[in-house]
Amino acid sequence: MELIWFTVLWRLLKLYALNMEQIRNFCIIAHIDHGKSTLADRLLEYTNTISKRDMQAQVLDDMDLEKERGITIKSHAIQMDYEYNGKKYVLNLIDTPGHVDFSYEVSRSIAACEGALLIVDAAQGIQAQTISNLYLALENDLEIIPIMNKIDLPSAEPELVKDQIVDLLGCKREDIISASGKTGLGVHDILAAIVERIPSPKGDPNGPLQALIFDSVFNSFRGIIAYFRIYNGSLKKGDKVKFVNTGMEYNADEIGVLRLKQEPRDTVKTGDVGYIISGIKEAREVKVGDTITTASNPCKEAIQGFEDVKPMVFAGIYPVDTEDFEELRYSMEKLQLNDASLTWEPESSAALGFGFRCGFLGMLHMEIIQERLEREFNMTVITTVPNVSYIAYKTDGTNVVVNNPSDLPDPARIDYIEEPYIKANIITKSEFIGPVMSLCIEKRGQIVNQNYLTADRVELIFEMPLGEVVFDFFDRLKSISKGYASFDYHPIGMKQSDLVKLDILLNAEQVDALSALIHRSNAYEFGKKICEKLKELIPRQQFEIPIQAAIGAKIIARETIKAIRKDVTAKCYGGDISRKRKLLEKQKEGKKRMRQVGSVEIPQSAFMAVLKLND
């Protein structure tokens, strides 16, 4: 009898091992606009995951914003079935964004995979973000499959791009797959390479459950849905599960796999990517990077998650109506679930009331968050001038982290200030080297290296302050290089700088939301430009409004918005001049009093004026 049970158990283990052997988890990484989403569409079509009737461009990009802008903002996981050499395989694909501002999404996707498809545009070649995402994948020991996409373009240079890929990866030329996401050329070769080259997941099917949460979404009917990848053990429907980092326990009400729609299953096994619904309503109870295990047989240690998010840009987000503060908090919690790279904490401003100090990965990330708040939650918000995080060292030996210029201590007590520096990697055509270098030097950048990748493509490496990059750098770089330059960066630490706090005063009242920390050498020009811009944007009142830029008590720039003048003498059609003078004196007194008690309405466009100073 024992022998029969042993035989049955052995066959089950063999079947289980066979199942794991037939799973492939992979992601797609590339620079922005190299055709990741289009190629993902072809993979779904060729594996019959989606019917031709339901097929549309960018299937996995389900956000309106993604379709409108033609970019991927969120990573998207989907499971496909594929038959190769008579065997059935399960392919778990995670499509990732390409823009540098969403690199955190890429790092989360990479943590849940064993392999990556590295897509390179046959016309554009290797770009900055291609290199950045590749290094991220190599750090996680992923198997890389190089793919040269858009081979059907008339401007494609396949041989030249193959040379670049070989130089970058050190692979053989025959390992590079030529493909076209538009026509479907080479898609079967890609699917075969996924099966042959990417290793199957490793793990102990009989060990305690150990699953990594790599994403989560909020459903208004079901609560929070967590997406996970199982490394060891298996999860059954109805199991009592425990989230290791938060210590909370829940029932697995529904589990399943991520097809085009969520498909419920009774069991999700080792190596699988799936979802869990357990009736969680509070956003803070689910943390991306947390480990799921069972309450009855918990795992000994949590899975080492991916890197912690490091916000690069800080800005205040305030409701237009102060009564909407709690509703904005609720919206921010829901949004943070779907975008773990967003960080925020409550703050208050004398000009704008109660709001939140938010940390973003970049300017595009900030723009997307603002649009999502307006579209998905109907929240009309005011966003303040973006800035980065500084460290102020005081004369008593202590230091203060300054995320908001209003947090800066009294200048008399400051010994020195450090600001974050980045290593910027710019790849451009050789004809644009001059303008690109001029722009970087204007932004206080120092050139570190310059190498020619090909006869007409050059890589420039600069060290520059992050505070100079967050405003208009990327837009100006694209303009001067006619769209050819690609840009990527990573932080390299803090450096001492001669920074001053620039205050903006309207009608002699300081507007804290417009304050900025800026290098002393740029302060006068910056102050003058912002005063001129505010003069254009702030509507005229019935009293004169002085706009001043100040460093401490010293005014360095001033503009004046003239008053709207009512013609009070219009009714005087004759008579003594003293009558007119009396009316004008009365008007003058009224304007003086109005200027003392009158408040200036500042439009939202004025808060973002600083971003468009060079327009």
Side-chain angles (χ1 to χ4, degrees):
M1 187 69 179
E2 284 178 6
L3 187 64
I4 294 168
W5 273 112
F6 180 77
T7 310
V8 169
L9 189 63
W10 175 250
R11 281 180 181 169
L12 281 170
L13 283 171
K14 204 171 173 185
L15 183 67
Y16 211 112
L18 194 69
N19 284 343
M20 275 182 63
E21 279 295 319
Q22 292 170 347
I23 295 172
R24 300 288 184 273
N25 296 320
F26 69 99
C27 59
I28 300 180
I29 55 174
H31 187 79
I32 191 167
D33 197 32
H34 277 210
K36 295 178 300 299
S37 299
T38 311
L39 197 62
D41 290 350
R42 295 292 81 75
L43 292 173
L44 295 175
E45 188 183 327
Y46 282 49
T47 54
N48 299 317
T49 306
I50 184 167
S51 64
K52 280 199 187 301
R53 187 183 65 181
D54 296 329
M55 196 68 208
Q56 55 178 329
Q58 291 174 271
V59 173
L60 295 179
D61 295 346
D62 50 11
M63 234 185 274
D64 289 342
L65 267 175
E66 291 180 313
K67 291 191 188 295
E68 281 171 26
R69 290 171 177 251
I71 59 172
T72 303
I73 294 167
K74 281 288 299 168
S75 294
H76 300 273
I78 191 163
Q79 191 179 90
M80 303 176 284
D81 293 324
Y82 181 62
E83 194 168 316
Y84 181 68
N85 289 345
K87 280 187 182 177
K88 289 186 177 177
Y89 292 88
V90 172
L91 312 180
N92 289 312
L93 156 70
I94 303 179
D95 180 26
T96 65
H99 197 281
V100 62
D101 280 14
F102 305 111
S103 56
Y104 187 63
E105 290 283 331
V106 181
S107 74
R108 289 158 52 186
S109 307
I110 283 171
C113 298
E114 279 82 31
L117 305 183
L118 180 73
I119 312 289
V120 179
D121 190 318
Q124 295 180 54
I126 301 286
Q127 303 268 289
Q129 196 63 19
T130 314
I131 299 168
S132 174
N133 287 341
L134 171 67
Y135 288 157
L136 206 59
L138 290 174
E139 279 170 23
N140 285 267
D141 297 324
L142 263 61
E143 179 65 36
I144 309 292
I145 299 175
I147 294 163
M148 188 168 56
N149 195 23
K150 302 191 183 181
I151 196 77
D152 58 314
L153 288 180
S155 56
E157 298 177 293
E159 295 309 312
L160 194 66
V161 173
K162 274 188 180 179
D163 289 340
Q164 291 177 21
I165 295 170
V166 169
D167 288 345
L168 180 67
L169 284 176
C171 62
K172 296 174 184 170
R173 287 177 78 86
E174 52 268 26
D175 290 343
I176 303 165
I177 301 169
S178 297
S180 166
K182 191 175 178 183
T183 63
L185 175 76
V187 174
H188 285 301
D189 295 337
I190 294 169
L191 288 164
I194 290 166
V195 172
E196 288 172 1
R197 298 195 215 171
I198 294 175
S200 57
K202 303 287 183 285
D204 180 7
N206 303 309
L209 173 67
Q210 207 179 25
L212 174 74
I213 299 175
F214 67 87
D215 205 354
S216 58
V217 292
F218 180 77
N219 182 300
S220 50
F221 301 105
R222 309 295 304 272
I224 292 159
I225 304 169
Y227 296 160
F228 60 82
R229 150 81 199 272
I230 298 185
Y231 284 86
N232 293 302
S234 61
L235 177 62
K236 295 182 180 65
K237 185 181 177 180
D239 277 355
K240 195 170 186 74
V241 295
K242 180 181 178 181
F243 287 22
V244 176
N245 288 338
T246 59
M248 307 291 281
E249 294 186 3
Y250 310 96
N251 286 320
D253 299 333
E254 182 180 311
I255 59 169
V257 293
L258 298 158
R259 308 285 286 191
L260 202 56
K261 290 179 181 167
Q262 291 162 353
E263 273 189 17
R265 298 277 165 90
D266 290 330
T267 308
V268 182
K269 301 170 184 174
T270 307
D272 276 337
V273 174
Y275 71 92
I276 178 170
I277 300 173
S278 45
I280 305 169
K281 293 288 188 284
E282 290 291 324
R284 62 176 176 271
E285 292 177 28
V286 177
K287 285 187 167 61
V288 169
D290 201 351
T291 303
I292 303 175
T293 188
T294 50
S296 56
N297 183 21
C299 57
K300 287 188 174 64
E301 56 183 31
I303 298 165
Q304 292 302 310
F306 21 85
E307 61 184 38
D308 286 334
V309 60
K310 298 183 195 77
M312 293 287 177
V313 177
F314 293 86
I317 289 184
Y318 293 83
V320 170
D321 190 342
T322 48
E323 291 174 3
D324 295 335
F325 174 71
E326 283 303 325
E327 196 176 331
L328 179 60
R329 181 197 289 275
Y330 175 79
S331 304
M332 296 286 278
E333 284 176 357
K334 297 293 173 284
L335 197 54
Q336 193 178 32
L337 259 182
N338 195 233
D339 186 349
S341 53
L342 170 67
T343 58
W344 52 270
E345 57 183 36
E347 74 163 2
S348 62
S349 156
L352 301 169
F354 290 104
F356 298 96
R357 191 87 195 147
C358 302
F360 308 97
L361 295 181
M363 291 300 293
L364 178 66
H365 187 214
M366 183 179 110
E367 204 181 311
I368 294 295
I369 292 294
Q370 190 180 336
E371 282 207 41
R372 287 185 71 183
L373 280 170
E374 288 179 4
R375 289 185 185 209
E376 295 173 28
F377 301 99
N378 294 322
M379 292 299 306
T380 308
V381 294
I382 290 173
T383 312
T384 64
V385 176
N387 65 297
V388 298
S389 191
Y390 302 90
I391 299 176
Y393 289 85
K394 300 206 284 195
T395 48
D396 62 2
T398 59
N399 63 59
V400 180
V401 176
V402 181
N403 289 333
N404 189 341
S406 58
D407 298 339
L408 192 72
D410 179 4
R413 295 181 183 173
I414 296 173
D415 187 11
Y416 62 93
I417 302 173
E418 287 187 344
E419 64 176 329
Y421 264 67
I422 57 163
K423 184 168 273 188
N425 182 305
I426 299 165
I427 296 176
T428 184
K429 289 201 166 185
S430 52
E431 63 193 272
F432 303 120
I433 289 177
V436 168
M437 287 181 88
S438 298
L439 173 65
C440 293
I441 291 162
E442 181 195 324
K443 297 288 187 180
R444 296 192 284 130
Q446 292 180 326
I447 190 154
V448 175
N449 203 354
Q450 173 182 340
N451 356 286
Y452 278 83
L453 301 172
T454 62
D456 69 334
R457 291 176 81 248
V458 66
E459 179 186 41
L460 300 168
I461 297 170
F462 281 88
E463 284 185 4
M464 57 204 304
L466 179 63
E468 297 283 352
V469 172
V470 297
F471 296 133
D472 58 351
F473 179 81
F474 190 65
D475 291 340
R476 286 181 66 191
L477 178 68
K478 284 290 181 189
S479 299
I480 62 175
S481 66
K482 299 180 182 173
Y484 283 108
S486 64
F487 173 65
D488 181 41
Y489 63 86
H490 63 269
I492 55 168
M494 310 292 283
K495 288 189 183 181
Q496 188 176 333
S497 290
D498 183 13
L499 299 168
V500 290
K501 184 187 174 193
L502 183 78
D503 291 317
I504 302 296
L505 291 85
L506 286 179
N507 200 14
E509 283 185 23
Q510 187 185 322
V511 182
D512 58 351
L514 287 172
S515 297
L517 270 175
I518 192 156
H519 197 267
R520 195 181 294 276
S521 62
N522 298 336
Y524 170 72
E525 191 185 345
F526 183 84
K528 191 171 185 302
K529 280 184 177 177
I530 200 166
C531 286
E532 287 170 358
K533 198 77 176 177
L534 290 172
K535 185 182 177 182
E536 291 172 23
L537 294 168
I538 294 174
R540 289 170 71 188
Q541 309 287 327
Q542 288 194 334
F543 55 95
E544 195 175 80
I545 306 168
I547 303 168
Q548 297 165 309
I551 297 172
K554 185 182 177 185
I555 304 296
I556 60 166
R558 173 180 169 136
E559 291 288 334
T560 306
I561 301 172
K562 296 293 181 190
I564 300 171
R565 184 174 174 274
K566 185 181 176 186
D567 190 0
V568 290
T569 60
K571 59 187 177 184
C572 297
Y573 46 86
D576 190 39
I577 187 69
S578 60
R579 276 189 71 199
K580 289 186 180 181
R581 194 169 287 133
K582 186 181 173 185
L583 287 168
L584 288 168
E585 286 296 324
K586 191 179 175 185
Q587 183 188 39
K588 190 177 173 184
E589 284 298 314
K591 289 215 179 281
K592 191 176 174 184
R593 192 164 60 250
M594 192 186 284
R595 184 173 166 183
Q596 287 169 350
V597 298
S599 61
V600 182
E601 282 287 315
I602 308 171
Q604 157 72 354
S605 55
F607 290 104
M608 299 307 283
V610 69
L611 303 180
K612 300 181 177 67
L613 290 182
N614 288 296
D615 287 4

